[in-house]
């Protein structure tokens, strides 16, 4: 049995931005809100406005989770960040390809190309918050988030990182016609998992037994269930 | 710390395959030792208007006529032989853009399978081709150019932790105009075949390929009477947390990843026999990598090489292809030449080799870095009976 403490929860969904100690998680309904730099950072970040939509949502979810855990400054730990996704940066792929096909390959957008590697937002989060641990994107069909949380626990227990920010980020392209209520979950939801924690800072213990995940002995089949259960308590 | 015999708790490599522009793993290895380069003019898409027209593309790799991506024929070659694996292995794939050529085709109005586009579907495709029932929870790793390395590291870590007994790692990256034009737009493509670690290097050459690793714990491998091609001894992953495209100048992230991999393998730096470098041929990557290698191996005596001057940069498959070549090097006791290297960087003092070079030692280090500040290093060990 492997275990880690949940110390932070953060999200951005159709219901807005939120974090576990200040609100109740839900996926909400309808379209995702616009994210501005001021929602996440107090200081000017000229680069933020140029990020693709996928990166903005992912970065916002990571930021809210770190804020909830009180480790926005890294707290002198090695923190990694991993995320699960189904569609990844597919929206950005389409935008980039349009520059290639409409203007010619020699006029492809270098700016958009940087964001067609789905892991770029994890790098943005690493830079923004000084996270020097492992970073990678898990693309999978199952958006329950079990694999990404299991992976994070395993990485903490085996000393690959002191703490991990782990969760999911998935968005539907706004012009796909699928974003008006027909997609039940889109946005970003992240947890901060740590090796040790004070009683005041923890939501409880997440356990991994082989490939099965438990919170306080209850099976965890979906991270949104976990977020809904723990937030706003 | 002395190296020990391969044990039942080690992560065994029971199958390893690769397909590159030089051929299968054996052909690729022999071609590298002979100093052959597979870099040639791109023929399967139009590069007119771009500053570069070269790539290491696989011969006779016609995209299927039924609207499937070019990744299918590469996967078909990698997965041609059946696997010997226990029931329900854990499947991890790695690709950055997978079947993105189908998005291009759809954009042109051609018939193409949209299902090939998303990397999240790659584990399903691989399982279908292998006709394999896999454990739930399999996923594709995207960590830019370190994707393949991290996929192997994750699989090894799951096995060592007892989460699974066996993992199949399949990495693939086809050549596409989508990716080619992107690197051209960033002005990272060299107009010549790339020259890793050369003083006059000026960028990358893109390649394509795939690789497969089957990893098992020793007990399962013995029970299934699987051969041992080597072991995954250690791994280390970090992020530079500095810049998105270029690696950190001080190479701190990569240095830390190497040190973590050595610590994970429970060995000292002096037990490494050779280094398979990322060696992309860009000014910044190679400078940063030389700095990291010098930092950890200051004696400057270890042979260091890059295979990208022959095979190009195979993106999400690079880490796995390079690990497969490193296993061949461990087995032969010789590292391949760094093709394209003519005028070696003099500082820092690192022994990048331009000729096949013998080495002593039963462990090798391979490493990759990528967009987003990602670094990953692997320690591979020869099988010791």
């Amino acid at each position: 049995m492997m275990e880690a403490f949940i110390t932070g929860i953060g999200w951005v969904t159709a219901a807005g931005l939120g974090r576990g100690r200040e609100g109740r998680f839900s996926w909400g309904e309808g379209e995702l809100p616009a994210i501005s730099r001021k929602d996440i950072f107090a200081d000017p970040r000229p680069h933020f406005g140029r990020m693709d939509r996928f990166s903005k949502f992912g970065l916002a979810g990571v930021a809210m989770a770190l804020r909830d855990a009180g480790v926005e400054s890294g707290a002198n730990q090695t923190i990694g960040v991993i995320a699960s996704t189904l569609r990844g940066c597919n929206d950005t792929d389409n935008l980039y390809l349009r520059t290639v096909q409409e203007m010619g390959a020699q006029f492809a957008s270098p700016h958009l190309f940087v964001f067609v590697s789905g892991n770029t937002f994890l790098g943005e989060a690493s830079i923004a918050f000084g996270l020097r641990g492992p970073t990678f994107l898990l693309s999978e069909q199952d958006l329950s988030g079990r694999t990404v949380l299991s992976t994070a626990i395993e990485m903490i227990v085996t000393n690959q990182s002191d703490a991990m920010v782990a969760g999911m980020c998935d968005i539907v392209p706004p012009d796909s016609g699928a974003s008006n209520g027909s997609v039940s979950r889109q946005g970003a939801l992240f947890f901060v998992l740590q090796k040790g924690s004070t009683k005041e800072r923890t939501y409880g213990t997440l356990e991994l037994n082989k490939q099965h995940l438990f919170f306080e002995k209850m099976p965890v089949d979906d991270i949104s269930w976990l977020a809904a259960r723990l937030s706003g308590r | 710390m002395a190296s020990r015999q391969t044990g039942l708790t080690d992560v065994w490599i029971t199958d390893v395959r690769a397909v590159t522009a030089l051929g299968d793993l054996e052909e690729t290895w022999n071609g590298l030792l002979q100093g052959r380069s597979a870099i040639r003019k791109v023929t399967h898409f139009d590069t007119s208007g771009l500053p570069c027209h070269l790539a290491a593309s696989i011969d006779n790799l016609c995209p299927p006529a039924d609207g499937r991506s070019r990744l299918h024929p590469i996967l078909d070659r990698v997965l041609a032989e059946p696997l010997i694996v226990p029931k329900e292995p854990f499947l991890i794939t790695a690709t950055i853009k997978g079947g993105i050529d189908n998005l291009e085709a759809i954009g042109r109005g051609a018939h193409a399978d949209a299902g090939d586009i998303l990397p999240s579907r790659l584990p399903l495709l691989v399982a279908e081709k292998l006709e394999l029932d896999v454990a739930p929870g399999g996923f594709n790793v995207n960590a830019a150019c370190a994707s393949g390395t991290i996929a192997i590291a994750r699989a090894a870590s799951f096995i060592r932790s007892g989460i699974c007994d066996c993992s199949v790692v399949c990495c693939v990256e086809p050549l596409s105009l989508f990716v080619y034009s992107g690197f051209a737009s960033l002005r990272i493509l060299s107009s010549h075949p790339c020259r890793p670690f050369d003083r006059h290097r000026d960028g990358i050459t893109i390649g394509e390929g795939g690789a497969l690793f089957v990893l098992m714990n020793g007990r399962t491998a013995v029970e299934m009477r699987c051969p041992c091609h080597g072991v995954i001894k250690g791994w280390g992953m970090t992020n530079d947390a500095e810049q998105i495209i270029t690696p950190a100048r001080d190479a701190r992230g990569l240095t830390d990843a190497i040190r973590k991999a050595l610590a994970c393998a429970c060995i000292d730096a002096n037990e490494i026999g050779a280094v398979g470098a990322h060696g992309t041929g860009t000014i910044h990557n190679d400078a940063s990598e030389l700095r990291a290698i010098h930092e950890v191996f200051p004696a400057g005596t270890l042979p260091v090489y890059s295979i990208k001057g022959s095979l190009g940069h195979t993106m999400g498959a690079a880490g796995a292809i390079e690990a497969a070549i490193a296993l061949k090097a461990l087995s032969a006791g010789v590292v391949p030449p760094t093709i394209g290297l003519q005028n070696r960087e003099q500082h820092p003092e690192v022994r990048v080799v331009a000729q096949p070079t013998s080495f002593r030692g039963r462990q090798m280090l391979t490493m990759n870095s990528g967009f987003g500040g990602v670094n990953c290093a692997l320690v591979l060990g020869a099988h010791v009976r």
Side-chain angles (χ1 to χ4, degrees), chain A residues 51-88:
Chain A
M51 285 182 198
D52 71 330
R53 196 163 164 260
F54 182 63
S55 295
K56 282 181 182 171
F57 281 100
L59 183 58
V62 170
M64 297 305 283
L66 288 169
R67 186 174 302 168
D68 198 49
V71 290
E72 270 181 294
S73 59
N76 209 21
Q77 302 180 81
T78 302
I79 302 179
V81 51
I82 57 177
S84 166
T85 190
L86 170 65
R87 300 170 190 86

Side-chain angles (χ1 to χ4, degrees), chain A residues 11 21 35 49 75 82 109 140 154 188 210:
Chain A
W11 62 84
R21 290 182 174 83
I35 304 286
I82 57 177
S109 165
E140 52 181 346
E154 191 266 345
K210 277 277 185 183

Side-chain angles (χ1 to χ4, degrees), chain A residues 93 96 116 132 139 154, chain B residues 97 140 154 157 161 181 252:
Chain A
D93 290 348
Y96 169 75
V116 304
R132 294 185 176 274
S139 299
E154 191 266 345
Chain B
K97 295 313 301 176
N140 180 77
R154 289 315 310 144
S157 194
S161 299
S181 60
R252 195 173 107 185

Side-chain angles (χ1 to χ4, degrees), chain B residues 17 88 98 144 165 169 181 226 249 287 308 320 336 349:
Chain B
R17 305 171 188 181
E88 295 198 342
D165 295 328
V169 181
S181 60
C226 292
R249 293 279 169 99
K308 291 188 174 74
E349 203 168 300

Side-chain angles (χ1 to χ4, degrees), chain A residues 12-186:
Chain A
V12 50
T13 67
L17 279 95
R19 62 190 187 95
R21 290 182 174 83
E22 286 190 349
R24 184 101 179 159
F25 172 79
S26 87
W27 288 110
E29 289 182 2
E31 303 215 1
L32 290 169
I35 304 286
S36 81
R37 183 270 302 168
K38 289 178 186 170
D39 292 325
I40 311 173
F41 303 110
D43 53 327
R45 306 271 173 137
H47 179 58
F48 184 82
R50 297 200 296 268
M51 285 182 198
D52 71 330
R53 196 163 164 260
F54 182 63
S55 295
K56 282 181 182 171
F57 281 100
L59 183 58
V62 170
M64 297 305 283
L66 288 169
R67 186 174 302 168
D68 198 49
V71 290
E72 270 181 294
S73 59
N76 209 21
Q77 302 180 81
T78 302
I79 302 179
V81 51
I82 57 177
S84 166
T85 190
L86 170 65
R87 300 170 190 86
C89 55
N90 187 234
D91 186 18
T92 317
D93 290 348
N94 282 303
L95 294 173
Y96 169 75
L97 186 62
R98 211 171 290 166
T99 71
V100 177
Q101 293 188 325
E102 290 180 2
M103 296 186 287
Q106 65 270 41
F107 300 112
S109 165
H111 166 70
L112 283 171
F113 184 68
V114 171
F115 294 101
V116 304
S117 188
N119 70 313
T120 297
F121 88 84
L122 303 173
E124 296 284 4
S126 297
I127 294 166
F129 302 108
L131 313 179
R132 294 185 176 274
T135 48
F136 56 94
L137 188 71
L138 297 81
S139 299
E140 52 181 346
Q141 297 282 308
D142 172 17
L143 276 181
S144 70
R146 281 175 301 185
T147 301
V148 74
L149 287 188
S150 302
T151 300
I153 295 172
E154 191 266 345
M155 294 181 83
I156 291 169
V157 171
T158 57
N159 295 316
Q160 294 172 67
S161 194
D162 297 330
M164 294 292 293
V165 186
M168 58 143 305
C169 180
D170 206 61
I171 60 169
V172 177
D175 57 356
S176 70
S179 57
N180 294 321
S182 62
V183 176
S184 59
R185 54 171 72 190
Q186 62 164 332

